[in-house]
């Protein structure tokens, strides 16, 4: 689990925070990140794109399941990573 969590953390910009992680589905890790703005979310997307090209990347793909704005104005991106 440690290697997968480290790989997920590498996807986040400095301001992003891991909000939740779920290893219950075989072959898939669901996780959420909280960011302050859409521009911070766009940085997450760019980091996913660049990290996915690195040799040894642990995931086949990472898909956005939802992006919602919470009561405090932050954005929560719910993502799903398929393990290679």
């Amino acid at each position: 689990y440690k290697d997968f969590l480290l790989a997920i953390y590498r996807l986040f910009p400095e301001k992003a925070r891991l909000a939740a992680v779920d290893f219950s589905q075989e072959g898939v890790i669901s996780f959420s990140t909280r960011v302050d703005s859409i521009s911070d979310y766009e940085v997450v997307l760019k980091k996913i794109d660049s990290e996915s090209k690195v040799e040894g990347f642990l995931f086949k793909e990472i898909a956005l399941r939802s992006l919602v704005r919470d009561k405090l104005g932050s954005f929560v991106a719910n993502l799903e990573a398929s393990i290679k």
Side-chain angles (χ1 to χ4, degrees):
Y1 295 105
K2 177 183 166 188
D3 292 338
F4 293 119
L5 284 174
L6 290 173
I8 289 169
Y9 274 113
R10 281 194 293 273
L11 303 174
F12 298 161
E14 203 172 290
K15 294 180 180 181
R17 297 165 304 282
L18 184 64
V21 66
D22 180 2
F23 289 95
S24 65
Q25 188 177 358
E26 187 174 332
V28 174
I29 301 171
S30 298
F31 61 97
S32 300
T33 182
R34 182 178 303 278
V35 293
D36 294 328
S37 67
I38 288 293
S39 61
D40 291 333
Y41 169 68
E42 290 171 347
V43 172
V44 172
L45 294 180
K46 288 177 186 175
K47 288 193 72 136
I48 288 171
D49 184 55
S50 65
E51 285 290 324
S52 67
K53 296 173 184 170
V54 172
E55 188 175 327
F57 189 62
L58 299 176
F59 306 113
K60 286 187 267 190
E61 70 174 347
I62 298 177
L64 175 67
R65 293 298 170 219
S66 66
L67 178 65
V68 295
R69 191 170 197 169
D70 68 13
K71 294 177 186 177
L72 301 174
S74 296
F75 292 88
V76 177
N78 297 301
L79 302 127
E80 192 172 271
S82 298
I83 300 170
K84 284 185 179 178

